[in-house]
Amino acid sequence: MTAKSNSDAHQRRTIIAKVRLSAAEAREIDQRAQATGSGKRADYLRSSALQGGGHDALAGMIGQVGLSLNQLEHAPARSIGRISRQLDEIIALLRGKSM
């Protein structure tokens, strides 16, 4: 599949794929879509299925933890709490849970 502009891909979308979700599944998908900046549920599902979307948030958090660790020698004690929270969020993302 070749990369196309978003407007070009949108114009050619003629196939409907129906998926049944529980209320809890829909809430979680919506939360993940919001966390990754995808916005709409359909955009998030499309991106996740076609491009492995959702990993951008995880990669960003790992980067934040790395920066925090690099500054740890000169950082105040509260930085340890921030790093701990970031690691908890990464673990939750790896387990497929939202924080």
Side-chain angles (χ1 to χ4, degrees), residues 4 13 16 25 29 61 72 76 79 92:
K4 300 206 182 231
R13 291 185 184 134
I16 297 172
E25 291 169 333
I29 289 170
M61 294 183 83
L72 188 59
S79 293

Side-chain angles (χ1 to χ4, degrees), residues 21-45 98:
L21 302 170
S22 69
E25 291 169 333
R27 277 191 306 273
E28 185 170 341
I29 289 170
D30 291 344
Q31 288 172 348
R32 290 183 185 194
Q34 186 177 30
T36 61
S38 295
K40 297 180 183 177
R41 184 184 301 157
D43 293 338
Y44 175 77
L45 291 173
S98 61

